[in-house]
């Protein structure tokens, strides 16, 4: 380790400082047991992904789910990234996107499962604009949402850079600080913008001022990102107002 330090591997030093027993032993001298998952209390590495046996039906209608949260979006998504891919395969979807809030937390698991199951993937994120306080654990967080889907590896790189910059600027966990003009300058031409959920700027404008206000907000996104890079997102949850709103 250099200098006057003892001949001790870093892993062993970390184990001693953490008060953990050696592998295969417990503090009481018995065998160590654990769930074998990715909990840091038991293992430094996840086990390789093992795909379940499932039948993928032929797609009757070409469809890709482009707005989907995993359980890395706390209180919004409920399924592991792998489970989203598995369900996409069961449904015969053409592709599925992972768009967690303000991060790419689940993309490795998502990609591993998709590779094994032959499901095409899209990578993106839903950015939280205009936050004033951290939103950790808040069921209905504040802010305006903007969903970006990366176009290729360059789009992925730019989107990751944009998110990292905002997270560092916020200086608190759960409070990224974005500047919309800066986001557009960094990513325009390399992402596809979806107008988002009920917290998207277009939907919020529609709620406040009707179709004219929504059209103005949509035009603003087109000016920032280019009209060819903006798509209106329609959602139908079988609610009474869905048809009229869409």
């Amino acid at each position: 380790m250099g200098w006057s330090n003892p001949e001790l591997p870093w892993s062993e030093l970390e184990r001693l400082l953490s008060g953990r027993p050696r592998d295969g032993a417990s503090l009481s001298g018995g065998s160590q047991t654990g769930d074998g998952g990715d909990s840091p209390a038991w293992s430094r590495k996840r086990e390789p992904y093992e795909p379940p046996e499932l039948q993928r039906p032929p797609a009757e209608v070409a469809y890709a789910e482009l707005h989907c949260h995993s359980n890395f979006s706390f209180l919004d998504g409920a399924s592991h990234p792998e489970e989203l891919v598995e369900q996409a395969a069961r449904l015969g979807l053409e592709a599925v996107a992972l768009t967690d809030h303000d991060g790419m937390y689940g993309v490795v698991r998502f990609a591993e499962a998709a590779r094994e199951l032959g499901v095409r993937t899209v990578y993106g994120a839903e950015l939280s604009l205009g936050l004033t306080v951290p939103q950790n654990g808040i069921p209905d967080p504040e802010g305006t949402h903007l969903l970006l889907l990366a176009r290729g590896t360059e789009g992925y790189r730019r989107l990751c850079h944009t998110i990292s910059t905002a997270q560092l600027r916020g200086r608190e966990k759960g409070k990224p600080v974005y500047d919309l003009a800066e986001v557009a300058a960094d990513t325009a031409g390399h992402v596809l913008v979806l107008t988002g959920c009920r917290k998207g700027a277009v939907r919020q404008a529609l709620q406040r001022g009707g179709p004219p206000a929504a059209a103005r907000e949509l035009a603003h996104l087109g000016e920032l990102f280019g009209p060819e890079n903006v798509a209106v997102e329609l959602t139908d949850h079988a609610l009474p107002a869905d048809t009229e709103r869409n």
Side-chain angles (χ1 to χ4, degrees):
M1 292 170 58
W3 301 100
S4 299
N5 295 326
E7 294 291 335
L8 190 68
W10 280 111
S11 58
E12 180 68 5
L13 177 61
E14 191 272 339
R15 182 191 68 78
L16 291 171
L17 293 176
S18 301
R20 294 199 314 274
R22 288 187 174 86
D23 291 342
S26 67
L27 292 175
S28 60
S31 298
Q32 182 182 19
T33 60
D35 61 4
D38 62 347
S39 169
W42 301 110
S43 173
R44 293 178 179 274
K45 297 181 180 179
R46 288 186 295 111
E47 294 296 324
Y49 174 73
E50 296 184 5
E53 293 185 7
L54 54 84
Q55 292 185 343
R56 185 174 183 180
E60 297 182 3
V61 178
Y63 177 80
E65 179 56 61
L66 299 180
H67 188 158
C68 194
H69 300 306
S70 76
N71 54 7
F72 282 97
S73 292
F74 187 54
L75 297 180
D76 202 347
S79 301
H80 292 298
E82 304 95 322
E83 294 172 333
L84 297 177
V85 177
E86 291 165 7
Q87 186 64 9
R90 291 188 187 97
L91 295 174
L93 301 189
E94 289 286 314
V96 61
L98 184 63
T99 57
D100 281 316
H101 289 288
D102 304 298
M104 300 289 195
Y105 324 104
V107 296
V108 173
R109 295 181 173 198
F110 187 70
E112 289 176 351
R115 180 181 58 198
E116 294 295 329
L117 295 173
V119 176
R120 290 192 289 178
T121 55
V122 182
Y123 300 98
E126 190 165 31
L127 311 187
S128 304
L129 310 179
L131 301 183
T132 59
V133 295
Q135 300 298 294
N136 304 318
I138 298 178
D140 188 19
E142 66 176 4
T144 300
H145 291 175
L146 180 70
L147 196 143
L148 304 181
L149 301 176
R151 294 185 185 272
T153 55
E154 180 62 17
Y156 181 88
R157 184 191 70 79
R158 288 172 179 259
L159 181 54
C160 288
H161 178 268
T162 294
I163 294 171
S164 297
T165 300
Q167 295 284 13
L168 290 171
R169 184 183 293 147
R171 304 178 68 87
E172 295 181 80
K173 183 178 180 180
K175 186 193 169 187
V177 176
Y178 299 96
D179 178 270
L180 182 57
E182 182 181 277
V183 171
D186 289 345
T187 63
H190 297 278
V191 296
L192 174 66
V193 179
L194 299 187
T195 52
C197 60
R198 63 186 178 87
K199 288 184 174 292
V202 174
R203 282 278 296 275
Q204 289 179 332
L206 180 65
Q207 187 74 20
R208 292 192 306 266
R216 288 192 296 271
E217 196 63 48
L218 183 61
H220 180 54
L221 289 175
E223 292 171 359
L224 289 171
F225 293 91
E228 71 281 4
N229 296 317
V230 179
V232 175
E233 188 171 350
L234 304 180
T235 58
D236 191 340
H237 294 152
L239 298 175
D242 281 347
T243 300
E244 180 181 357
R245 181 171 54 245
N246 288 334

